[in-house]
Amino acid sequence: MSKVRVEEELQASADAVWKLVSEFGGLKKWAGPMIQSIEVEGEGIGARRTISLPGDATFQEELRAYDEGERSQSYAIVGPSPIPVADYLATLHIVEAGPNACRVDWSSTFEPAGVEEAKAIAIVEGVYKGGIAGIKKALGL
């Protein structure tokens, strides 16, 4: 089982960052131009979002855990994915680090699928770093 963890401190309140990232279907607001569209089916735990990428690539993620008080959500990729991983489970956690500071803690476990472990890890890390850059851009940081 491979593991990835990307952490970055932001000069924004944990509440402001959580407000941006907490909506399961709101990924397009901050995840960057790679996200063409998102459609969500269902609500709460078990909801699924279908994410469309350039070149007609699509995949689904399912919300597995959500904790408003802890500012945390976990989701899994279900079905085929353009990312070379299987059994992927990720957690996005926003941790308060002061009155106007927080840490984005994004982690996952997965099995590499069709590529070397180092390549799968690099791809997942790139997704998380790009997502955090998108959060910063959306918040004007």
Side-chain angles (χ1 to χ4, degrees), residues 16-99:
V17 175
W18 179 246
K19 183 178 179 183
L20 177 65
V21 304
S22 64
E23 182 187 347
F24 191 59
L27 202 57
K28 191 160 173 48
K29 295 177 188 173
W30 57 270
M34 287 297 292
I35 305 293
Q36 300 291 300
S37 68
I38 296 178
E39 293 180 26
V40 178
E41 297 174 27
E43 291 183 24
I45 306 303
R48 287 192 176 192
R49 61 186 175 199
T50 300
I51 301 170
S52 297
L53 304 173
D56 295 326
T58 63
F59 65 102
Q60 282 193 324
E61 294 176 335
E62 181 178 89
L63 186 62
R64 296 285 175 89
Y66 184 91
D67 188 326
E68 183 78 29
E70 288 293 317
R71 299 182 195 96
S72 175
Q73 62 177 293
S74 297
Y75 60 93
I77 294 176
V78 291
S81 168
I83 300 170
V85 296
D87 300 321
Y88 175 92
L89 179 64
T91 299
L92 180 58
H93 186 197
I94 309 303
V95 181
E96 190 167 336

